[in-house]
Amino acid sequence: MSDTHVLRVTRVRADDETALLQWHDVHNLVIPPDPLTPAEVRERSGRNRLYVARLGDTPVGCSTVRPPTPANDSVATVIARVLTAHRRRGHGAALYAHGLRRARALAPAAVETIVLASNGDGLRFALAHGFTETDRYLLPGADVAYVTLRLTDA
């Protein structure tokens, strides 16, 4: 199988401009109401684990694993985003499984995900993978809510 057909998931490092920009671009296409600047992505790469999923050199998705924090030491968060044109091909499941392995290695009491309420594909994916909605919230000035879901089939 050629490299353009094999999904590769790699960690985004603060000194890897290409990976930072790829993560940034995928995030902003999937989450248009909450765009991030490259500087914000670089900052996030220092406190979270960011990953880019590629087919060959083409980014098709990105993910975030938020480790437990001192304020919430029992929860890790896994967020997987796949570009619309690359959905329903198993990339989301692979990216999610990758993130879940990394989150579970942090030994949290629970794993959550967060999905934009307008992302029907993302909500269906989370529900199909054992998550249950626990909260909805709006960021200041936002029109679309975020949905927090907790993994129930550990």
Side-chain angles (χ1 to χ4, degrees):
M1 191 176 282
S2 77
D3 188 43
T4 59
H5 294 90
V6 175
L7 188 72
R8 288 181 307 111
V9 180
T10 56
R11 178 123 184 230
V12 175
R13 306 271 180 211
D15 61 350
D16 184 343
E17 286 300 317
T18 300
L20 284 166
L21 289 174
Q22 289 175 340
W23 191 98
H24 164 269
D25 293 348
V26 171
H27 175 277
N28 288 354
L29 286 168
V30 176
I31 316 285
D34 192 14
L36 297 173
T37 66
E40 290 169 321
V41 173
R42 180 174 284 101
E43 185 274 328
R44 282 183 184 209
S45 74
R47 61 183 160 87
N48 299 320
R49 289 153 177 92
L50 307 182
Y51 300 91
V52 174
R54 298 179 190 89
L55 292 174
D57 293 331
T58 304
V60 300
C62 70
S63 69
T64 302
V65 175
R66 292 181 189 160
T69 64
N72 191 1
D73 63 4
S74 64
V75 177
T77 303
V78 176
I79 303 168
R81 303 168 200 86
V82 176
L83 294 171
T84 304
H86 297 279
R87 292 181 183 164
R88 293 183 176 71
R89 299 179 190 178
H91 304 319
L95 191 55
Y96 165 70
H98 177 271
L100 186 59
R101 281 191 306 275
R102 271 129 187 94
R104 284 189 169 146
L106 302 170
V111 175
E112 292 182 338
T113 192
I114 301 169
V115 181
L116 196 60
S118 60
N119 181 351
D121 286 342
L123 287 171
R124 282 187 292 280
F125 180 91
L127 294 169
H129 284 82
F131 286 86
T132 301
E133 183 175 337
T134 60
D135 190 27
R136 285 184 181 239
Y137 61 92
L138 280 171
L139 293 176
D143 296 327
V144 179
Y146 281 93
V147 181
T148 301
L149 303 104
R150 185 165 282 203
L151 187 60
T152 54
D153 352 318

